[in-house]
Amino acid sequence: MTRRIPASTIRRLSHYLRSLEDLERDGGETVSSEELAERGQTTAAQVRKDLSHFGSFGKRGLGYKVEVLRDYIREILGVDRIWNVALIGAGRIGAALFEYPDFGSRGYKCVAIIDSDQAKIGTRWGDLQVRSPDDLQSLITDLGVELIVLAVPAQAAQEVAERAVKAGVKGILNFAPIRLKVPSEVHVEDVNLVMQLEAVSFAITQRTVGA
Amino acid sequence: MTRRIPASTIRRLSHYLRSLEDLERDGGETVSSEELAERGQTTAAQVRKDLSHFGSFGKRGLGYKVEVLRDYIREILGVDRIWNVALIGAGRIGAALFEYPDFGSRGYKCVAIIDSDQAKIGTRWGDLQVRSPDDLQSLITDLGVELIVLAVPAQAAQEVAERAVKAGVKGILNFAPIRLKVPSEVHVEDVNLVMQLEAVSFAITQRTVGA
DNA sequence: TTGTGTGAATCCCTTCACAGCG
DNA sequence: CGCTGTGAAGGGATTCACACAA
């Protein structure tokens, strides 16, 4: 719909979606921005503002219909469809993703696993076989992969990313602790657990030192 | 030093720290805010502003001494010491953390692993033995654990967190997809990979639809 | 001259407050 | 009435611009 949506709005939309799914499981029919706010750790005004970027989905005096809003948010976030994902780097990080129950239920489908370790190539992971990096481009093209999970060591990441982008990948969930250089139309989302740990230790340290 | 530091500043400090360590490896003696900005994907003014919250570490006309600034940032982030960390939930997510090379080098030391799965209890992970949740409190107290990595299923997370906090834990890196309720002095940092994937699919979707 | 440190200006996100629809 | 949708106000973070120290 509109341009220039704050990243914080997107994060909150993800929360709302989860809340709506919970509500539906519990048989809720409608929600108010108030109720959604409580569950999402924000304010009612914020909820309404977030949604207003994309349209008006509620009824005044009544609230939002749970199912309807859920579907709209799914559409906004682009999770109303299947995404073919390739996992590059068959280490523990990659494996961990599959433990996340929401991973599959949100439409992310792992269709290829690639690793450069000769010992891993050919082994089965569920119903997939680990493939060689040589097949990277052809796999991406043939399987229609738009999204990759990049879980390789830092020094290999840039090169792999470039090849993936060349083959048509549009988004990268990047676990390598480097800033990938990619064309601006490719979206990179960095996961950096050490950085998050540092945020924790900072908070504790300041709290201990400060007043 | 000062109060009210933007969370974004902390994230950037983590980046600066990494850059400084790289520079040191390459034998750099001094850096300018300009150079630090390039590596950290921000602006020189932002770098200076970030640092100004904590003191003045540079020399006008010259820049910052790499080693000195690095030590200051380490101190600010609280990574100039060893943090005893307990891993709760010995699944793949937990295992993945140990693959992160920076995890140990930043002073985070895993001193205990806890899992409720009887089959896992007693098994060795490196030089640690997986322990039962019954030992949670005593382990935290005895080993001086201040920080936990919470990688258990959502429904167990709240209860485990409460017990950990009661035993003295001050910070939590939370992988469970729920909003933990803890006393305000305990810092919780949420890791939510599905949410990050949603941010990617949103970006791609909007890009495809929009102008 | 160079590049930091910092008030002032700007920009963007959040919050307020209320008009208006159901 | 109740609750959404939204301009306007407010606040916090980033950027600007320059005084000043090395």
Side-chain angles (χ1 to χ4, degrees), chain B residues 35 53 61 63-64 70 89 96 101 127 134 146 150 154 160 173 190 204 210:
Chain B
E35 193 173 350
H53 288 122
Y64 304 88
R70 183 206 56 192
D127 48 358
D134 298 338
E146 289 174 278
L150 190 57
V160 171
L173 186 69
D190 289 305
I204 298 175

Side-chain angles (χ1 to χ4, degrees), chain A residues 1-3 5 10-15 17-18 39-41 54 75-79 81 83 85 91-93 95-103 106 108 146-147 149 151 170-177 179-180 184-211, chain B residues 1-3 5 10-15 17-18 39-41 54 75-79 81 83 85 91-103 106 108 146-147 149 170-177 179-180 184-211:
Chain A
M1 286 286 191
T2 334
R3 241 79 279 282
I5 311 295
I10 306 308
R11 273 200 302 281
R12 285 189 301 262
L13 285 177
S14 288
H15 277 295
L17 179 52
R18 210 177 313 275
R39 293 170 174 260
Q41 207 87 134
F54 303 97
E75 198 184 318
I76 293 167
L77 292 178
V79 293
R81 44 161 292 197
W83 290 91
V85 178
R92 295 205 185 91
I93 293 171
L97 257 188
F98 295 98
E99 240 180 37
Y100 256 62
D102 283 348
F103 182 74
R106 276 285 189 290
Y108 300 107
E146 290 174 278
L147 234 152
V149 173
K170 309 231 186 58
I172 302 177
L173 186 69
N174 174 42
F175 284 83
R179 195 73 82 159
L180 294 176
S184 66
E185 69 273 15
V186 177
H187 185 94
V188 177
E189 188 78 20
D190 290 303
V191 179
N192 195 323
L193 301 177
V194 170
M195 215 142 109
Q196 294 199 268
L197 272 171
E198 283 168 356
V200 178
S201 57
F202 169 80
I204 298 175
T205 305
Q206 297 301 309
R207 203 109 57 191
T208 317
V209 173
Chain B
M1 283 292 193
T2 332
R3 238 82 282 280
I5 310 295
I10 307 308
R11 274 200 302 281
R12 286 190 300 264
L13 286 177
S14 288
H15 277 294
L17 178 52
R18 210 176 315 275
R39 293 170 174 259
Q41 207 89 134
F54 302 96
E75 198 183 317
I76 292 166
L77 292 177
V79 293
R81 42 162 291 198
W83 290 92
V85 180
R92 295 206 184 92
I93 292 171
L97 257 189
F98 294 98
E99 240 179 35
Y100 257 60
D102 283 348
F103 182 75
R106 276 285 189 289
Y108 299 107
E146 289 174 278
L147 235 152
V149 174
K170 308 232 186 58
I172 302 177
L173 186 69
N174 174 42
F175 284 83
R179 196 75 81 161
L180 294 177
S184 66
E185 69 273 15
V186 177
H187 184 93
V188 176
E189 188 78 18
D190 289 305
V191 179
N192 195 324
L193 301 178
V194 170
M195 214 142 112
Q196 293 200 266
L197 271 171
E198 283 169 356
V200 178
S201 57
F202 169 80
I204 298 175
T205 305
Q206 298 302 307
R207 203 110 56 190
T208 317
V209 173

Side-chain angles (χ1 to χ4, degrees), chain B residues 115-132:
Chain B
D115 201 290
S116 63
D117 183 348
Q118 285 297 332
K120 283 181 184 162
I121 295 172
T123 60
R124 302 204 78 82
W125 273 43
D127 48 358
L128 289 172
Q129 212 170 10
V130 176
R131 306 286 297 265
S132 151

